[in-house]
Amino acid sequence: MDKTVKLVFQDGLEIEGKSFGAYTSAAGEVVFNTALVGYNESLTDPSYKGQIMVMTAPMIGNYGVPDDKAMIESIETWMESNKIQVTGLVVSYYADDYSHWNAIQKLGAWLESQNIPGIYGVDTRMITKKLREQGSTLGKIVADTDVEFYNPDLDNLVDQVSCKEVIRYNEGADVKIVLIDCGVKNNIIRCFTTRGVEVIRVPWDYDYSTLEYDGLFISNGPGDPALCVPTINNIKESLKGDKPIFGICLGNQLVSLAAGASTFKLKYGHRSHNQPVQLVGTKRCFITSQNHGFAVDDSKLPEGFKTFFTNLNDGTCEGIRHESKPIFTVQFHPEAMGGPVDTEYLFDEFIEEVKKYKSANA
Ligand SMILES: NC(=O)CC[C@H](N)C(=O)O
């Protein structure tokens, strides 16, 4: 029989459930994710650092966990980074039995191996309604010992998840892209490497100005974008130049801040695989994968920039683009993993721009 644990919210609400994964206590921001699949990818997405993820899909764990051995060294894995990034996991029904062609272990065993607590047997719909009404809130999974509440928005999480030194992929390829790693998901790197470009992955606060490269990409990442001051300052310099710039999620927020826009915290964020976005100026809608708690305020964008996409659920900004330069960024995840691949074409458009820039400046 699994041990009893509690999910405790900052407002005092305590919900009892059963333990799976590590029997330990942990605190963070409680957020909900309505994706039906993709728990392995979501759990290893560095943007979830500091968060306790409530998955609303009624059954989690039924397709197990693939081999994670390669995670440490390589991007050629089933995961999105080299470890589980969430602080804790909350599910309704945890399936200990699993069946999938690439699964080698149970979700609970994997969480346990990385000391991450899970709680099941709780009403995730009730919790989600609470978070929607009150907004994302702090909470903790309490096992044997109590822990303090913890607000991840006050910490520089990007520094904790970014690489520590420069890493090159496809070294020697003709077209070179600097990728600022604020907690990059592996599939973003894969989306570049499979398109044949060299990726120069640099730490979040690295001065890349002396490197030889043709285009700049800024990754996703955890926490409050306003805390990434060195990155924002580096991007400010890049915005003065002509090299193409592309950013995803935190990357969108950082380019916007560097350009002079502001960001704000959404009430409960967007975390799912079915967020509809509209390409501004058209009637085209794309279904996108999302995971963010902050958004860019596009009511007053700096001169030269306009809104690129808009969220059709709540009207918030889903990206910006420059009116004359090849600079565009999106709040959603064109690399998916998991989720729909409707917008993966944005990688092709960016690389096209980078090639154009390179041949014009050869
Ligand atoms: N996935 C991301 O890059 C998230 C960006 C930022 N941390 C947010 O929550 O809005």
Side-chain angles (χ1 to χ4, degrees), residues 213-214 242-244 326 353-362:
Y213 68 102
D214 314 301
D242 295 318
K243 285 182 181 159
E353 290 295 344
V354 177
K355 285 183 179 160
K356 256 196 254 167
Y357 168 84
K358 191 177 167 67
S359 56
N361 291 276

Side-chain angles (χ1 to χ4, degrees), residues 192-208:
F192 283 121
T193 54
T194 54
R195 285 168 170 80
V197 300
E198 175 170 341
V199 175
I200 310 168
R201 176 178 177 180
V202 303
W204 70 287
D205 55 352
Y206 190 83
D207 175 10
Y208 50 83

Side-chain angles (χ1 to χ4, degrees), residues 38-41 43-44 61 63-71 76-80 98-107 110 113-114:
Y39 54 80
N40 295 313
E41 292 88 342
L43 290 170
T44 54
Y63 59 89
V65 176
D67 190 355
D68 66 352
K69 294 217 171 49
M71 279 168 79
E76 300 309 322
T77 84
W78 302 105
M79 308 298 182
E80 288 303 300
Y98 66 85
S99 171
H100 192 264
W101 65 269
N102 73 2
I104 60 147
Q105 65 174 324
K106 298 174 179 196
L107 174 58
W110 188 45
S113 73
Q114 300 203 21

Side-chain angles (χ1 to χ4, degrees), residues 142-157:
V142 181
D144 43 353
T145 46
D146 199 5
V147 282
E148 297 283 312
F149 287 107
Y150 166 67
N151 184 354
D153 287 349
L154 303 179
D155 267 345
N156 184 344
L157 304 172

Side-chain angles (χ1 to χ4, degrees), residues 107-135:
L107 174 58
W110 188 45
L111 289 169
E112 193 172 7
S113 73
Q114 300 203 21
N115 204 33
I116 306 293
I119 176 171
Y120 74 93
V122 298
D123 185 348
T124 50
R125 281 177 299 186
M126 181 273 275
I127 295 169
T128 300
K129 281 184 182 165
K130 172 186 169 63
L131 296 176
R132 279 178 64 99
E133 275 151 33
Q134 296 181 353

Side-chain angles (χ1 to χ4, degrees), residues 48-361:
Y48 278 108
K49 180 108 190 138
Q51 294 176 329
I52 295 175
M53 183 166 65
V54 181
M55 294 209 72
T56 61
M59 183 195 277
I60 297 292
N62 52 324
Y63 59 89
V65 176
D67 190 355
D68 66 352
K69 294 217 171 49
M71 279 168 79
I72 312 304
E73 295 296 336
S74 161
I75 56 162
E76 300 309 322
T77 84
W78 302 105
M79 308 298 182
E80 288 303 300
S81 72
N82 64 2
K83 62 175 186 184
I84 300 177
Q85 303 283 358
V86 303
T87 296
L89 180 61
V90 181
V91 306
S92 173
Y93 179 79
Y94 165 59
D96 202 44
D97 282 338
Y98 66 85
S99 171
H100 192 264
W101 65 269
N102 73 2
I104 60 147
Q105 65 174 324
K106 298 174 179 196
L107 174 58
W110 188 45
L111 289 169
E112 193 172 7
S113 73
Q114 300 203 21
N115 204 33
I116 306 293
I119 176 171
Y120 74 93
V122 298
D123 185 348
T124 50
R125 281 177 299 186
M126 181 273 275
I127 295 169
T128 300
K129 281 184 182 165
K130 172 186 169 63
L131 296 176
R132 279 178 64 99
E133 275 151 33
Q134 296 181 353
S136 298
T137 170
L138 303 188
K140 52 191 176 182
I141 295 175
V142 181
D144 43 353
T145 46
D146 199 5
V147 282
E148 297 283 312
F149 287 107
Y150 166 67
N151 184 354
D153 287 349
L154 303 179
D155 267 345
N156 184 344
L157 304 172
V158 165
D159 186 47
Q160 296 174 30
V161 293
S162 170
C163 62
K164 299 289 171 248
E165 56 200 39
V166 177
I167 307 168
R168 288 177 188 255
Y169 305 86
N170 277 353
E171 199 165 350
D174 197 28
V175 172
K176 298 185 196 324
I177 286 166
V178 162
L179 179 152
I180 306 180
D181 176 7
C182 298
V184 68
K185 288 175 67 191
N186 281 337
N187 206 43
I188 290 180
I189 305 174
R190 293 183 209 112
C191 281
F192 283 121
T193 54
T194 54
R195 285 168 170 80
V197 300
E198 175 170 341
V199 175
I200 310 168
R201 176 178 177 180
V202 303
W204 70 287
D205 55 352
Y206 190 83
D207 175 10
Y208 50 83
S209 59
T210 55
L211 297 176
E212 224 180 86
Y213 68 102
D214 314 301
L216 177 67
F217 174 82
I218 306 99
S219 84
N220 64 293
D224 183 343
L227 296 180
C228 292
V229 177
T231 323
I232 295 168
N233 288 336
N234 286 338
I235 300 168
K236 266 187 199 158
E237 286 306 308
S238 297
L239 286 172
K240 294 179 191 158
D242 295 318
K243 285 182 181 159
I245 300 177
F246 179 30
I248 291 178
C249 213
L250 186 76
N252 165 59
Q253 298 164 357
L254 296 179
V255 171
S256 302
L257 288 169
S262 59
T263 52
F264 64 98
K265 183 141 175 139
L266 292 164
K267 191 171 175 193
Y268 47 82
H270 302 152
R271 295 177 185 84
S272 70
H273 294 167
N274 59 352
Q275 293 279 334
V277 301
Q278 185 171 6
L279 178 61
V280 172
T282 73
K283 289 204 166 169
R284 292 194 73 183
C285 169
F286 300 89
I287 303 300
T288 64
S289 178
Q290 301 202 7
N291 162 27
H292 63 108
F294 291 83
V296 172
D297 177 2
D298 63 350
S299 66
K300 34 184 193 307
L301 284 182
E303 210 174 300
F305 284 90
K306 56 185 180 188
T307 308
F308 192 8
F309 290 92
T310 303
N311 189 298
L312 286 168
N313 287 337
D314 64 6
T316 54
C317 175
E318 288 285 354
I320 63 165
R321 72 179 315 161
H322 196 272
E323 281 165 4
S324 54
K325 291 192 199 183
I327 302 171
F328 56 88
T329 58
V330 291
Q331 187 60 65
F332 51 84
H333 288 272
E335 84 288 358
M337 253 335 144
V341 292
D342 294 28
T343 53
E344 203 183 309
Y345 76 91
L346 290 167
F347 286 93
D348 299 312
E349 288 199 347
F350 174 59
I351 290 170
E352 239 359 88
E353 290 295 344
V354 177
K355 285 183 179 160
K356 256 196 254 167
Y357 168 84
K358 191 177 167 67
S359 56
N361 291 276

